[in-house]
Amino acid sequence: MSYRYRLALSTVVGLVIGWLGVGLAVAQFQTGIEGRTYTNTDYNFRISLPKELTHWELQGNIPKLLFMMTTDEATLVNKGVIANFSVEVETFPKEMTLDTYLDVSLLALKAGIKGLSDLIVEAVELDGKNAYQLIYTGDAGGGMRVKFFQVITVDQRKGYMLTGTTIPVTMPISGFLAIQDTFQFLDAAVSVNPKKLLTTTWASIK
């Protein structure tokens, strides 16, 4: 066996081992809330509650939402803070670009949010992935206005939507950003795509 083939073979074996290692690394996590962190292995993410937001209560099992944190009513009434924060993930029937997901999300907002106004859309990142941040206000009933913060991204045919609401609408977005910054994809520690490298390496020795 030539040196070229031995080198390529060792590279392929190493990539396979690395690929399996990624799977094992993700498998060490369990879906649920532990301490201040919520993990979901089915949808490959975790998110934490920053220490400074001690007035929050973690809540799970909310229909249609994978994760939700809700402020207790006393704090909400007395201080006017973030009312809730949720993570929602949907699986696409086929590949969808981030821009298309944005268009779909905007259509949903215009149809579902009463009194939608002050909409701002900005390109950002979520755990290193291209994303969009949406900030807007809407009616909450009883003459009350609510500010919404959202970040959306796509990954592996899934759409991720992080949503936070605040009362009053004058509250800054720093609290929301603090939570957003804790969001992590479970396989994000892998800096390369083993499948892509494996395919490229194999093609090079054919």
Side-chain angles (χ1 to χ4, degrees), residues 88-90 92 96-113 116 119-121 131-136 148-154 158-163:
E88 185 174 1
V89 183
E90 60 178 314
F92 305 135
M96 182 180 294
T97 66
L98 177 58
D99 285 339
T100 300
Y101 189 40
L102 173 64
D103 291 339
V104 172
S105 300
L106 290 175
L107 287 175
L109 289 184
K110 293 174 182 178
I113 302 297
L116 176 66
L119 175 62
I120 300 174
V121 180
Y132 281 111
Q133 180 186 79
L134 292 77
I135 303 176
Y136 55 94
F148 293 81
F149 304 99
Q150 286 185 324
V151 172
I152 62 171
T153 192
V154 295
K158 292 182 177 64
Y160 291 78
M161 179 178 290
L162 284 60
T163 303

Side-chain angles (χ1 to χ4, degrees), residues 123-182:
V124 295
E125 288 190 353
L126 182 64
D127 194 27
K129 296 185 183 296
N130 291 332
Y132 281 111
Q133 180 186 79
L134 292 77
I135 303 176
Y136 55 94
T137 58
D139 293 332
M144 184 177 294
R145 298 284 290 173
V146 178
K147 180 182 284 186
F148 293 81
F149 304 99
Q150 286 185 324
V151 172
I152 62 171
T153 192
V154 295
D155 180 60
Q156 300 179 19
R157 286 180 54 185
K158 292 182 177 64
Y160 291 78
M161 179 178 290
L162 284 60
T163 303
T165 61
T166 68
I167 302 173
V169 297
T170 54
M171 181 178 176
I173 67 171
S174 56
F176 172 75
L177 293 177
I179 304 170
Q180 172 191 320
D181 288 344
T182 71

